[in-house]
């Protein structure tokens, strides 16, 4: 008898040999600039908590208070009896925040992307995606059953060539801020092309919302684009908002369609109401606390200037995501471990998250970092042969 699991050990060994093995570190402190892992205090440059809200006292207080009022579990999916006043209020506030008719909350960004694309498209339609899009956007495109094409990163000519004249729908999908590169999508050009081709444009702004734009409205606020220009906007709440969950914002028609058709919305338990309440507080802070965005930008500038002086091969990014290209996966892991020894948590990002030969250290900044953290990191990078 051949056991179905016989091949697995070999497969794992192959992953290990290529330097692609992934393992988890157990964190025993709250998220923040200082985290404790294996009884070691580390300065964290790996988190997506860009504004330092994950452990903000006001956000935590809202969460606790909401637990007293609503308990923990939401009890069911939104369409059964899990859609609370907290979810509803959060949706209305997110719609206003993004300048859209409505917003719909999802349990995670991964599910929002799977749900939206497969609700909007099916056989006979086509979806075009930037090659560097987040895995959930690619998976959503594949799940939809539409004709699926990837275009070269931010290459409008390549995209244009791949759009086929068809009877069905055409959806163009892109990250707003690319999660492993930190650069921005060319949204004004993409939206013009979408109009010309009678296509819909969908933007996942997981890394732009809260961080870019005068009031944290993200990449669309940064470019001054409206609902007409980008009809489908996805945001996640586990990054700059510091909590958990996601949302889709757009027209009333879009949101009603999703409520009827998005399986990742319909067939899953709603977020705990307390998470929605905590997010309402973090949304207020995102809008009001300009100092968080200002500080983040200053820290990034300081880092880039210092990295330039050290001759490090930083990628062209002005965002909170500052990747340092290494190339070889094993080498990236080695450098990440050396940094760990020196007290810095910076993860090595390897294939298949990024392309082969493009392993990198993904250094991310938070408004909670101090200038001295940046300087200490630069010293550590200087002392390691990269
Ligand atoms: C993190 C991320 C997601 C997934 O969001 P979760 O809420 O963590 O599931 C989706 N898209 C992009 C671009 C992301 O970076």
């Amino acid at each position: 008898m051949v056991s179905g699991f016989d091949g697995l050990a070999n497969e794992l060994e192959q992953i290990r040999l290529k330097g692609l093995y992934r393992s988890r570190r157990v964190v025993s402190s709250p998220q923040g600039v200082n985290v404790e892992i294996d009884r070691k205090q580390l300065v964290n440059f790996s988190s997506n908590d860009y504004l330092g809200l994950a452990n903000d006292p006001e956000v935590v207080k809202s969460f606790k208070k909401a637990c007293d009022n609503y308990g923990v579990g939401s009890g069911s999916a939104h369409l059964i009896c899990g859609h609370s006043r907290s979810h509803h209020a959060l949706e209305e506030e997110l719609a206003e925040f993004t300048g859209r008719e409505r917003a719909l909350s999802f349990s995670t960004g991964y599910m929002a992307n799977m749900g939206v694309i497969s609700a909007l498209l099916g056989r006979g339609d086509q979806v075009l995606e930037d090659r560097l899009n987040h895995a959930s956007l690619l998976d959503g495109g594949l799940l939809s059953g539409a004709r699926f094409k990837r275009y070269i990163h931010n290459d409008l000519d390549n995209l244009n060539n791949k759009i086929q004249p068809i009877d069905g729908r055409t959806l163009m999908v892109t990250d707003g801020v690319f999660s492993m590169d930190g650069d921005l999508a060319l949204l004004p050009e993409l939206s013009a092309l979408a109009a010309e081709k009678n296509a819909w444009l969908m933007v996942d702004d997981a890394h732009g919302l809260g961080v870019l734009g005068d009031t944290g409205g993200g990449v669309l606020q940064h470019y001054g684009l409206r609902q007409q220009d980008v009809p489908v906007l996805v945001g996640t709440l586990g990054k700059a908002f510091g909590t958990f969950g996601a949302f889709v914002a757009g027209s009333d028609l879009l949101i009603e369609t999703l409520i009827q058709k998005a399986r990742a919305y319909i067939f899953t338990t709603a977020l705990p109401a307390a998470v929605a309440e905590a997010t309402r507080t973090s949304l207020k802070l995102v809008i009001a606390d300009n100092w968080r965005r200002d500080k983040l930008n200053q820290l990034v500038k300081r880092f880039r200037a210092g990295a330039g002086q050290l001759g490090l091969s930083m990628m062209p990014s002005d965002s909170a995501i500052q990747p340092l290209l290494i190339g070889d996966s094993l080498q990236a892991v080695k450098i990440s471990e050396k940094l760990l020894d020196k007290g810095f948590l910076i993860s090595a990002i390897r294939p298949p998250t990024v392309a082969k030969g493009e392993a990198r250290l993904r250094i991310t900044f938070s408004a909670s970092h101090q200038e001295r953290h940046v300087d200490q990191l630069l010293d550590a990078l200087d002392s390691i042969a990269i």
Side-chain angles (χ1 to χ4, degrees):
M1 277 283 288
V2 180
S3 145
F5 279 85
D6 274 359
L8 294 187
N10 192 16
E11 216 173 285
L12 289 182
E13 188 52 26
Q14 291 305 316
I15 293 173
R16 205 185 292 276
L17 286 173
K18 288 183 199 146
L20 300 180
Y21 208 84
R22 296 166 188 251
S23 43
R24 303 165 304 167
R25 300 183 206 283
V26 180
V27 180
S28 47
S29 63
Q31 281 296 321
V33 162
N34 298 294
V35 287
E36 188 186 282
I37 293 177
D38 295 335
R39 296 209 180 79
K40 208 175 156 185
Q41 294 296 325
L42 298 169
V43 184
N44 187 359
F45 282 102
S46 285
S47 169
N48 300 318
D49 179 24
Y50 302 122
L51 299 181
L53 292 173
N55 190 31
D56 179 89
E58 283 186 60
V59 176
V60 173
K61 199 168 101 192
S62 300
F63 182 81
K64 286 183 178 162
K65 190 168 152 228
C67 280
D68 288 342
N69 292 337
Y70 301 105
V72 176
S74 66
S76 80
H78 284 275
L79 289 169
I80 308 298
C81 63
H83 184 67
S84 73
R85 248 166 63 179
S86 308
H87 297 112
H88 208 74
L90 174 61
E91 288 177 350
E92 287 173 354
E93 289 158 9
L94 286 169
E96 195 189 333
F97 171 61
T98 55
R100 284 158 184 261
E101 288 171 24
R102 282 180 71 186
L104 186 71
S105 66
F106 276 75
S107 294
T108 70
Y110 200 109
M111 294 170 74
N113 286 333
M114 301 280 279
V116 172
I117 302 175
S118 53
L120 295 179
L121 303 184
R123 267 174 213 284
D125 301 324
Q126 65 183 331
V127 55
L128 297 114
E129 301 214 18
D130 190 292
R131 202 176 265 175
L132 298 188
N133 275 356
H134 189 264
S136 56
L137 292 170
L138 301 172
D139 292 354
L142 292 169
L143 178 75
S144 73
R147 184 171 173 278
F148 177 84
K149 286 268 174 188
R150 296 210 278 176
Y151 58 88
I152 297 170
H153 177 49
N154 264 341
D155 186 331
L156 273 286
D157 287 336
N158 187 248
L159 165 58
N160 199 356
N161 289 337
K162 294 200 170 180
I163 302 178
Q164 292 217 328
I166 57 166
D167 291 336
R169 297 168 179 168
T170 300
L171 180 69
M172 294 164 27
V173 182
T174 183
D175 276 23
V177 177
F178 286 87
S179 53
M180 296 302 138
D181 292 60
D183 57 341
L184 308 190
L186 304 176
L187 289 186
E189 291 85 346
L190 281 167
S191 123
L193 182 63
E196 183 192 320
K197 297 285 180 180
N198 200 18
W200 294 334
L201 179 59
M202 168 172 171
V203 173
D204 172 353
D205 202 20
H207 300 276
L209 279 166
V211 176
L212 298 177
D214 287 344
T215 56
V219 73
L220 301 187
Q221 190 178 42
H222 170 82
Y223 283 124
L225 295 171
R226 301 150 304 166
Q227 182 174 297
Q228 301 93 287
D229 307 310
V230 179
V232 187
L233 171 65
V234 173
T236 66
L237 303 171
K239 289 166 181 153
F241 288 85
T243 59
F244 187 81
F247 68 93
V248 180
S251 67
D252 184 50
L253 207 55
L254 171 71
I255 300 305
E256 280 304 316
T257 301
L258 296 178
I259 294 173
Q260 311 312 314
K261 293 186 62 186
R263 293 166 66 85
Y265 178 78
I266 300 168
F267 297 107
T268 197
T269 301
L271 280 182
V275 174
E277 283 299 331
T279 307
R280 294 181 68 195
T281 298
S282 85
L283 175 58
K284 288 196 187 101
L285 298 176
V286 162
I287 296 168
D289 288 356
N290 273 321
W291 67 265
R292 293 180 194 267
R293 279 178 286 279
D294 293 344
K295 187 159 167 226
L296 181 59
N297 287 330
Q298 280 161 17
L299 293 166
V300 167
K301 275 209 185 101
R302 186 180 186 89
F303 175 75
R304 283 192 71 87
Q309 281 172 4
L310 296 179
L312 296 173
S313 49
M314 301 309 301
M315 296 175 64
S317 157
D318 296 320
S319 73
I321 304 166
Q322 292 293 322
L324 172 56
L325 194 61
I326 305 295
D328 178 62
S329 293
L330 289 164
Q331 181 65 6
V333 172
K334 216 154 101 191
I335 295 171
S336 167
E337 279 165 5
K338 281 189 188 163
L339 286 165
L340 199 67
D341 284 344
K342 291 180 180 286
F344 297 95
L345 181 63
I346 297 174
S347 43
I349 308 286
R350 295 157 285 165
T353 309
V354 293
K356 245 186 172 166
E358 291 188 13
R360 64 197 66 177
L361 298 177
R362 180 176 181 268
I363 305 171
T364 53
F365 291 88
S366 157
S368 306
H369 283 122
Q370 303 298 331
E371 287 185 350
R372 68 183 157 85
H373 294 127
V374 174
D375 297 344
Q376 287 160 1
L377 172 62
L378 287 164
D379 283 347
L381 289 168
D382 190 27
S383 69
I384 295 172
I386 293 178

